[in-house]
Amino acid sequence: MADRSRDPEALEREIEQARQELARTIDELADRVNPKNVAHRGIERLKEEADHVAKAVGTMVRPSGTDEEGQGGGIDRRLLLVSAGAAVTVTALILWRRKRRRR
């Protein structure tokens, strides 16, 4: 049997609180699936991956005995830029192909 001793005002407060929580959840979901936000997250992820690849390539290309700025061994900056560009291109192509396969 239902609890009839519950205060109607308390029930109204609970209902209003549930409505506010539901509204916040809906707003968060709408923000999460917003195309601009999805694109922004994808771009940020691509930048991070390109940065990791560029650092890895820089480590492989850097002659031994050089520091982070390439001092001491005279690393060719053009080679590093071309390598980073190639890594970004390959990463973008891989992500694009994955996206196409999901459709």
Side-chain angles (χ1 to χ4, degrees):
M1 188 167 181
D3 185 9
R4 294 176 187 231
S5 64
R6 291 189 76 177
D7 180 23
E9 291 176 5
L11 284 173
E12 287 179 12
R13 284 191 301 270
E14 289 178 22
I15 291 170
E16 184 58 33
Q17 183 180 5
R19 283 182 182 157
Q20 289 174 357
E21 289 176 13
L22 182 58
R24 273 194 301 272
T25 302
I26 290 171
D27 289 343
E28 289 174 7
L29 288 172
D31 187 52
R32 192 177 298 171
V33 298
N34 182 331
K36 286 182 182 179
N37 294 341
V38 171
H40 180 70
R41 285 191 305 268
I43 289 169
E44 289 300 317
R45 187 175 65 218
L46 186 61
K47 285 180 183 178
E48 289 173 7
E49 288 181 18
D51 185 47
H52 291 317
V53 170
K55 285 180 182 178
V57 169
T59 301
M60 291 187 295
V61 172
R62 185 178 304 118
S64 61
T66 61
D67 60 9
E68 284 295 315
E69 287 80 33
Q71 310 250 337
I75 186 171
D76 187 1
R77 299 267 182 206
R78 292 176 292 179
L79 177 61
L80 185 58
L81 289 173
V82 168
S83 300
V88 167
T89 303
V90 168
T91 304
L93 286 172
I94 290 170
L95 292 174
W96 178 71
R97 287 188 63 174
R98 284 183 185 172
K99 185 178 177 182
R100 283 186 58 208
R101 286 182 185 167
R102 290 181 187 163
R103 291 184 189 173

